[in-house]
Amino acid sequence: MTTLINDKELYLQQFKNKDKLVGQTIKEIIFYLEETDNDFTEQPNELGKSLLNGIDIKTNQESFSIGNRFTNLNYGLSIEVGQTNELEFFDGEKNPKSFDTKIVGQTVKSVDIFWMKIPFENATGFYPQEIEIISNENYLLISSIEVNDGQVNTEFTNELLIIDNKDKAKQLELGQFGIENNGRKYFSDFETLINYEEKNSR
């Protein structure tokens, strides 16, 4: 059984890094934006914040970067320890800006990844479509989804949609709200994902 990237280590890395974030306190969330980007979004819409590069989540211990770096096309989410400006090429001059949202200052209770099938012809394997970060009181969702003309358009992209409103995520059937009708799959750990993949490849 092989994945698109022929490397299950990428799966394992996602589980290790998201588990590492659990229990840490979020000190700051960083977006990378041009001076002309208003309201912390590059593609204006009422759904959330739409970005062309990854974000940093700085905790009391380290920095995590979430961006579209899972495949060699820079599609599909990846969570890594480090800073986005060290992991991605920026098209144009962008500066780090603090995104003030309610989960900042709170301790992470859980981080969940919601996976979808890689949609390439003859490809096997899954990629992270959404990552949900939850504290005791608040919520942050990062999705590898494109927004065009104010509407959710395409999954598995090189764009991010950031939502800090659970009702909006539910309306769009993203993350945990997309399991039943919107193609998302949840695996509690690395072994569960691998077992599911192997069972369904026979």
Side-chain angles (χ1 to χ4, degrees):
M1 176 64 194
T2 58
T3 66
L4 172 75
I5 50 212
N6 198 26
D7 188 358
K8 292 179 184 176
E9 187 62 30
L10 263 179
Y11 286 157
L12 184 58
Q13 180 190 58
Q14 303 310 300
F15 285 101
K16 284 182 175 179
N17 288 341
K18 69 102 173 171
D19 288 343
K20 187 180 285 191
L21 180 55
V22 175
Q24 297 198 36
T25 300
I26 296 176
K27 295 297 185 183
E28 189 176 23
I29 295 176
I30 300 290
F31 288 5
Y32 292 87
L33 299 165
E34 295 180 359
E35 291 301 323
T36 54
D37 293 326
N38 296 318
D39 192 30
F40 288 88
T41 189
E42 294 182 84
Q43 306 287 337
N45 64 86
E46 297 180 357
L47 306 176
K49 308 304 184 185
S50 189
L51 306 176
L52 302 177
N53 287 99
I55 66 170
D56 293 346
I57 297 176
K58 295 188 174 184
T59 74
N60 53 332
Q61 298 178 40
E62 55 202 320
S63 289
F64 296 82
S65 172
I66 300 178
N68 285 305
R69 301 181 294 266
F70 192 75
T71 69
N72 57 359
L73 296 178
N74 293 325
Y75 286 3
L77 293 183
S78 179
I79 178 170
E80 296 163 71
V81 176
Q83 295 183 186
T84 300
N85 60 356
E86 298 170 348
L87 297 166
E88 293 184 13
F89 170 77
F90 289 178
D91 186 12
E93 186 174 339
K94 294 188 175 183
N95 298 306
K97 294 186 180 180
S98 293
F99 177 53
D100 188 18
T101 185
K102 292 179 180 178
I103 204 168
V104 173
Q106 299 189 354
T107 300
V108 176
K109 179 181 176 183
S110 64
V111 180
D112 291 315
I113 300 174
F114 298 88
W115 303 76
M116 293 186 76
K117 291 284 289 181
I118 293 172
F120 296 156
E121 187 177 354
N122 298 323
T124 60
F126 293 88
Y127 72 92
Q129 175 62 41
E130 274 105 27
I131 295 175
E132 286 184 348
I133 301 170
I134 298 173
S135 70
N136 280 331
E137 299 175 19
N138 289 293
Y139 173 92
L140 188 73
L141 177 139
I142 302 101
S143 180
S144 174
I145 206 161
E146 185 176 322
V147 175
N148 282 332
D149 298 322
Q151 300 295 317
V152 166
N153 183 29
T154 308
E155 295 155 332
F156 188 55
T157 71
N158 59 358
E159 295 186 17
L160 294 183
L161 180 66
I162 315 294
I163 293 175
D164 56 5
N165 182 311
K166 190 177 280 191
D167 289 337
K168 184 65 70 174
K170 187 174 184 178
Q171 173 193 331
L172 297 172
E173 294 187 308
L174 304 180
Q176 63 182 284
F177 307 109
I179 292 176
E180 211 168 297
N181 299 314
N182 208 13
R184 275 67 173 165
K185 294 195 179 298
Y186 173 74
F187 304 104
S188 58
D189 51 40
F190 170 74
E191 289 77 15
T192 304
L193 191 163
I194 295 301
N195 289 340
Y196 180 93
E197 198 174 58
E198 291 178 346
K199 179 180 177 182
N200 287 275
S201 67
R202 296 169 188 160

